[in-house]
Amino acid sequence: MDILLAMSGIDHGRWLAALRAALPSARVRSWQPGDDGPADYLLYWMAPAPSLAERPGLKAVFNLGAGVDALLAIMRAHPEAVTHRVPLLRLEDAGMARQMVEYALYCALRYQRRFDAYEEQAREGVWQPLEPHRTEAFTVGVLGAGQLGLPVARALAAQGYPVRLYSRTPRTVPGIETHAGPDALIRFASGARMLLNLLPDTPATRGILSARVFDVMAEGGHVVNLGRGSHVVEADLLRALDSGRLSRAALDVFHQEPLPPDHPFWRHPRIEVTPHVSALSMVEESVAQIAARIARHEAGEPLQGLDPRRGY
Ligand code: NAP
Ligand code: GLV
């Protein structure tokens, strides 16, 4: 069996070693420009389009991340060059949910206990106790109820925050208020102290974090974007922060990555930037998940690929 690893910007060595250890009978190689040789499985992340060229024997493409937006975009842009005929799979949690939970709890505790404001005060040498936000009144809205959003919502609820969850299709989650569909968005966001986004990037979700939503949140609310940069209308966010409607935003993802050096987000006093690290693809967990799926498929089980038309 041939496994082809096509990824850019990340150290391949650990991935190759883990794949060889998990699939000892497979020939595992790293994609190089010009490689259009046979492969049974292609493992892809942010590599150039030619790595997705039609190739003999291909059974599936694995996306080495949760979001398939970049892969779908490259497939749309290169219909002639890439394979559309095999199942497309993505990482499901694979160690990411725990990281998202950590990021979410950090933000909720930081903003609810007002450590962000104390940090600002400390820079000026100001000793000023502030009125705390009560846990039970610090409503957090989580956009996205999937592999990552749901564990985040549950962890926040376990911490005592009133939690709302927003998804495309209706669902029931004990102890959590649920909302679904575009008509429910404003009700979902109304009065929320913190909104945390874990949606996928699709035509329906782009620009979802806009003035429409910021204007109905609690005065001085917080926005945490861990989904994709495309979800935020940047001008609306800047206006909401500058006017005081929102207190602060923690942003991990951006329209353009890396965030350009002259982008106003870098120097904005109420924006916290992290470089797309809220949940990294963990080598061991990811390889274990992929190897298990390959083993099941090789034993005769069909692969459950995602529907590219749904967009996530
Ligand atoms: P997932 O399991 O596919 O869950 C996606 C959730 O979004 C589902 O609950 C889905 O609703 C909901 N959704 C999709 N379209 C919607 C719409 N139009 N309106 C309302 N809800 C909608 O995805 P996941 O594994 O949790 O990952 C979510 C996203 O996190 C990824 O796509 C990626 O963009 C981002 N991410 C970021 C990082 C990072 O480091 N910053 C790391 C990993 C992932 P249904 O339940 O009704 O289907
Ligand atoms: C990272 O952003 C991912 O989608 O896994």
Side-chain angles (χ1 to χ4, degrees), residues 45-46 63-69 90-91 93 96 100 148 226-228 252-253 257 276-281:
W45 188 250
M46 304 286 178
N63 182 62
L64 295 180
V68 288
D69 44 299
R90 68 181 189 101
L91 291 181
D93 177 0
M96 284 185 268
M100 286 302 188
L148 306 179
L226 313 180
R228 287 289 184 260
D252 186 52
V253 283
E257 296 183 8
H276 199 141
V277 290
S278 51
L280 302 173
S281 294

Side-chain angles (χ1 to χ4, degrees), residues 165-171 177-185 187-188:
L165 200 49
Y166 180 69
S167 56
R168 189 176 58 86
T169 54
R171 59 185 56 236
E177 189 184 306
T178 55
H179 300 258
D183 294 344
L185 179 65
R187 206 168 346 113
F188 158 81

Side-chain angles (χ1 to χ4, degrees), residues 54-219:
E54 184 64 74
R55 59 185 71 244
L58 194 66
K59 297 172 191 163
V61 175
F62 286 90
N63 182 62
L64 295 180
V68 288
D69 44 299
L71 177 49
L72 293 181
I74 215 166
M75 286 172 74
R76 275 194 302 274
H78 296 271
E80 77 299 344
V82 299
T83 177
H84 292 264
R85 66 169 175 83
V86 295
L88 172 60
L89 294 97
R90 68 181 189 101
L91 291 181
E92 292 178 0
D93 177 0
M96 284 185 268
R98 183 194 171 118
Q99 297 171 71
M100 286 302 188
V101 165
E102 290 164 353
Y103 200 115
L105 289 177
Y106 167 76
C107 289
L109 287 167
R110 175 171 160 76
Y111 299 146
Q112 178 242 323
R113 290 296 310 273
R114 309 202 64 176
F115 294 123
D116 55 335
Y118 291 124
E119 227 171 71
E120 257 178 48
Q121 290 188 180
R123 272 196 292 274
E124 306 299 325
V126 174
W127 178 281
Q128 178 60 60
L130 302 168
E131 188 67 30
H133 297 300
R134 294 171 61 85
T135 309
E136 55 276 22
F138 196 85
T139 301
V140 183
V142 178
L143 295 103
Q147 294 289 331
L148 306 179
L150 186 56
V152 161
R154 286 197 168 121
L156 290 163
Q159 196 65 31
Y161 298 114
V163 176
R164 299 176 189 165
L165 200 49
Y166 180 69
S167 56
R168 189 176 58 86
T169 54
R171 59 185 56 236
T172 307
V173 183
I176 292 177
E177 189 184 306
T178 55
H179 300 258
D183 294 344
L185 179 65
I186 295 305
R187 206 168 346 113
F188 158 81
S190 289
R193 286 230 59 95
M194 178 172 125
L195 285 184
L196 186 147
N197 175 43
L198 273 168
L199 287 170
D201 174 1
T202 72
T205 62
R206 267 165 228 149
I208 196 164
L209 295 175
S210 72
R212 236 183 116 227
V213 162
F214 305 148
D215 285 351
V216 298
M217 290 176 66
E219 187 82 29

